[in-house]
Coordinates of all heavy atoms in Angstrom, one line a residue:
G98 N -37.7 -3.6 -1.5 CA -37.3 -3.9 -0.1 C -38.0 -3.0 0.9 O -38.6 -3.4 1.9
G101 N -41.8 -3.8 0.5 CA -42.2 -5.1 0.4 C -42.1 -6.0 1.6 O -42.4 -7.2 1.6
G102 N -41.5 -5.5 2.7 CA -41.3 -6.3 3.9 C -41.8 -5.6 5.1 O -42.0 -4.4 5.2
F103 N -42.1 -6.4 6.2 CA -42.6 -5.8 7.4 C -41.6 -5.7 8.6 O -41.8 -5.1 9.6 CB -43.8 -6.6 7.9 CG -45.0 -6.5 7.0 CD1 -45.3 -7.5 6.1 CD2 -45.8 -5.4 7.1 CE1 -46.4 -7.4 5.2 CE2 -46.9 -5.2 6.2 CZ -47.2 -6.2 5.3
T104 N -40.4 -6.3 8.3 CA -39.3 -6.3 9.3 C -38.0 -5.9 8.6 O -37.9 -6.0 7.4 CB -39.1 -7.6 10.0 OG1 -38.6 -8.6 9.0 CG2 -40.4 -8.2 10.6
R105 N -37.1 -5.4 9.4 CA -35.8 -5.0 8.8 C -35.1 -6.1 8.1 O -34.6 -6.0 7.0 CB -34.9 -4.4 9.9 CG -33.5 -4.1 9.5 CD -32.7 -3.5 10.7 NE -31.3 -3.2 10.3 CZ -30.3 -4.1 10.2 NH1 -30.6 -5.4 10.6 NH2 -29.1 -3.7 9.9
E106 N -35.1 -7.3 8.7 CA -34.5 -8.4 8.2 C -35.1 -8.9 6.9 O -34.4 -9.2 5.9 CB -34.5 -9.6 9.2 CG -33.6 -9.4 10.4 CD -34.2 -8.4 11.4 OE1 -35.5 -8.1 11.3 OE2 -33.5 -7.9 12.2
R107 N -36.4 -8.8 6.8 CA -37.1 -9.2 5.6 C -36.9 -8.2 4.5 O -36.7 -8.6 3.3 CB -38.6 -9.4 5.9 CG -39.5 -9.7 4.6 CD -39.0 -11.0 4.0 NE -39.8 -11.3 2.8 CZ -39.3 -12.1 1.8 NH1 -38.1 -12.6 1.8 NH2 -40.1 -12.3 0.7
R108 N -36.8 -6.9 4.8 CA -36.6 -5.9 3.8 C -35.2 -6.1 3.2 O -35.0 -6.0 2.0 CB -36.7 -4.5 4.4 CG -38.2 -4.2 4.7 CD -38.3 -3.0 5.6 NE -39.6 -2.7 6.0 CZ -40.0 -2.2 7.2 NH1 -39.1 -1.9 8.1 NH2 -41.3 -2.0 7.4
L109 N -34.2 -6.4 4.0 CA -32.8 -6.6 3.5 C -32.8 -7.8 2.7 O -32.1 -7.9 1.7 CB -31.9 -6.6 4.7 CG -31.6 -5.3 5.4 CD1 -30.8 -5.5 6.7 CD2 -30.8 -4.4 4.4
E110 N -33.5 -8.9 3.1 CA -33.5 -10.1 2.3 C -34.1 -9.9 0.9 O -33.6 -10.4 -0.1 CB -34.4 -11.1 3.1 CG -34.4 -12.5 2.4 CD -35.3 -13.5 3.1 OE1 -35.8 -13.1 4.2 OE2 -35.5 -14.6 2.6
I111 N -35.2 -9.1 0.9 CA -35.9 -8.8 -0.4 C -34.9 -8.0 -1.3 O -34.8 -8.2 -2.5 CB -37.2 -8.0 -0.2 CG1 -38.2 -8.9 0.5 CG2 -37.7 -7.4 -1.5 CD1 -39.5 -8.2 0.9
M112 N -34.2 -7.0 -0.7 CA -33.3 -6.2 -1.5 C -32.1 -7.0 -2.1 O -31.6 -6.7 -3.1 CB -32.8 -5.1 -0.7 CG -33.8 -4.0 -0.3 SD -33.3 -2.8 0.9 CE -32.2 -1.8 -0.1
K113 N -31.8 -8.1 -1.4 CA -30.7 -8.9 -1.9 C -31.1 -9.9 -3.0 O -30.3 -10.4 -3.7 CB -30.1 -9.7 -0.7 CG -28.7 -10.3 -0.9 CD -28.1 -10.8 0.3 CE -26.7 -11.3 0.1 NZ -26.1 -11.8 1.4
D114 N -32.4 -10.2 -3.0 CA -33.0 -11.1 -4.0 C -32.9 -10.5 -5.4 O -33.2 -9.3 -5.6 CB -34.4 -11.4 -3.7 CG -35.0 -12.5 -4.4 OD1 -34.5 -12.8 -5.5 OD2 -36.0 -13.2 -3.9
A169 N -26.3 -0.7 6.5 CA -27.4 -1.4 7.0 C -27.1 -2.9 7.3 O -27.8 -3.5 8.1 CB -28.6 -1.3 6.0
R170 N -26.1 -3.5 6.6 CA -25.8 -4.9 6.7 C -24.5 -5.0 7.6 O -23.6 -4.2 7.6 CB -25.5 -5.5 5.3 CG -26.7 -5.4 4.4 CD -26.4 -6.2 3.1 NE -27.4 -6.0 2.1 CZ -28.6 -6.6 2.0 NH1 -28.9 -7.5 2.9 NH2 -29.4 -6.3 1.0
A224 N -34.8 4.5 8.8 CA -35.9 4.1 9.6 C -36.3 2.6 9.3 O -36.7 1.9 10.2 CB -37.1 5.0 9.4
R225 N -36.2 2.2 8.1 CA -36.7 0.9 7.7 C -35.7 -0.2 7.7 O -36.0 -1.4 7.9 CB -37.4 0.9 6.3 CG -38.7 1.8 6.4 CD -39.6 1.5 5.3 NE -40.9 2.1 5.5 CZ -42.0 1.9 4.8 NH1 -42.0 1.0 3.9 NH2 -43.1 2.5 5.1
I226 N -34.4 0.1 7.4 CA -33.4 -0.9 7.4 C -32.2 -0.6 8.2 O -31.2 -1.3 8.2 CB -33.0 -1.3 5.9 CG1 -32.4 -0.1 5.2 CG2 -34.1 -1.9 5.1 CD1 -31.8 -0.4 3.8
G227 N -32.2 0.6 8.8 CA -31.1 0.9 9.7 C -29.9 1.6 9.0 O -28.8 1.8 9.7

Side-chain angles (χ1 to χ4, degrees):
F103 293 99
T104 66
R105 175 180 179 273
E106 292 73 20
R107 178 56 182 155
R108 289 167 184 146
L109 288 171
E110 182 182 355
I111 291 172
M112 292 173 71
K113 197 171 184 179
D114 193 332
R170 301 184 190 277
R225 296 206 168 188
I226 60 173

